[in-house]
Amino acid sequence: MKKFDLKSFAAGLLIGTLGITTAFAAAGILSADLCDTKVTLKGAPLSLNHPLISVTMEDGQEPKLYMPADELLTSLGYTLHYDNGKNTVDLLPGNASLPDAVSYGNGDSVIALANRPEQRNIAESGAFQAEDNQTLILEITSDIKGGSVDFFLFDPNGKEQHIVIESSDIVKEIPLEKGLWKYNCSGIFKEGGNVKLIGTIR
């Protein structure tokens, strides 16, 4: 297969049960073929469960590679939620920007959560990548009353840590291991209105 210029890569959603031909039929695409091109993340090999797809347009443009966006974005610290009814994909970042903002070991923020003004609830989730021998510094500030907020942190093996947030500030140091860490924060309260979670890796 022809060697592709990295600048021609296009991150696309993996074609599912519709099939390649059916999904691309109305898009002016001449052909779509599975591709064995290797992908690296910051120089390290990235193992994907689904193959890349080489797409050639009818207008004769250079072939482009379409990648499984769900796997790639998860590797970058994002959680994806697909709403079939609204036909939307919601990206929930574990950090504010793409991987250039993540410089492991320098105290960079990987969790930044807060309830919206005037709302007495919070429902957020996300994920981040960690390396061995790093520590997550989780700083929680809260003045909520008449309820509680639950924060769940899942290590790369799925083991859960649960923190109940009430009307007090909390600082926790959590040892990390290499892999993808996921988190979920949700709760409803009656008064107060300020709950904020900041997590940094050191």
Side-chain angles (χ1 to χ4, degrees):
M1 177 169 287
K2 181 178 179 179
K3 183 178 180 180
F4 290 89
D5 184 342
L6 286 176
K7 295 180 180 179
S8 73
F9 278 29
L13 291 175
L14 182 69
I15 302 305
T17 57
L18 289 177
I20 295 173
T21 303
T22 302
F24 286 151
I29 290 176
L30 181 63
S31 66
D33 303 295
L34 298 181
C35 179
D36 60 0
T37 298
K38 306 302 180 186
V39 179
T40 62
L41 179 61
K42 294 187 175 181
L46 182 62
S47 177
L48 299 175
N49 294 322
H50 300 90
L52 277 62
I53 298 174
S54 169
V55 177
T56 302
M57 305 296 292
E58 290 181 347
D59 59 9
Q61 294 180 7
E62 285 290 307
K64 295 183 183 293
L65 287 183
Y66 283 75
M67 304 181 184
D70 54 348
E71 292 187 68
L72 293 173
L73 289 168
T74 296
S75 297
L76 295 174
Y78 284 75
T79 299
L80 281 74
H81 292 286
Y82 177 64
D83 188 323
N84 188 48
K86 296 180 180 179
N87 194 30
T88 60
V89 176
D90 187 19
L91 306 182
L92 301 175
N95 48 280
S97 57
L98 288 172
D100 286 344
V102 180
S103 178
Y104 297 121
N106 293 326
D108 295 294
S109 175
V110 292
I111 300 175
L113 307 178
N115 64 301
R116 296 178 182 177
E118 307 303 323
Q119 287 192 339
R120 299 294 182 261
N121 69 288
I122 185 171
E124 301 285 348
S125 61
F128 61 89
Q129 288 281 350
E131 298 294 333
D132 286 328
N133 302 316
Q134 291 185 321
T135 300
L136 175 68
I137 310 299
L138 186 62
E139 300 177 80
I140 302 171
T141 56
S142 172
D143 65 358
I144 64 175
K145 298 176 182 178
S148 65
V149 171
D150 295 295
F151 179 80
F152 296 93
L153 181 67
F154 302 92
D155 70 15
N157 299 311
K159 185 178 179 181
E160 168 194 304
Q161 295 187 52
H162 179 202
I163 300 173
V164 178
I165 303 169
E166 297 177 317
S167 58
S168 61
D169 297 343
I170 303 171
V171 177
K172 291 187 70 70
E173 295 189 11
I174 301 171
L176 301 175
E177 61 182 272
K178 184 174 182 177
L180 182 68
W181 289 70
K182 299 181 181 181
Y183 58 85
N184 177 275
C185 183
S186 62
I188 300 175
F189 43 93
K190 296 179 180 179
E191 300 176 19
N194 296 300
V195 56
K196 184 177 181 181
L197 296 87
I198 300 296
T200 55
I201 286 182
R202 296 178 185 170

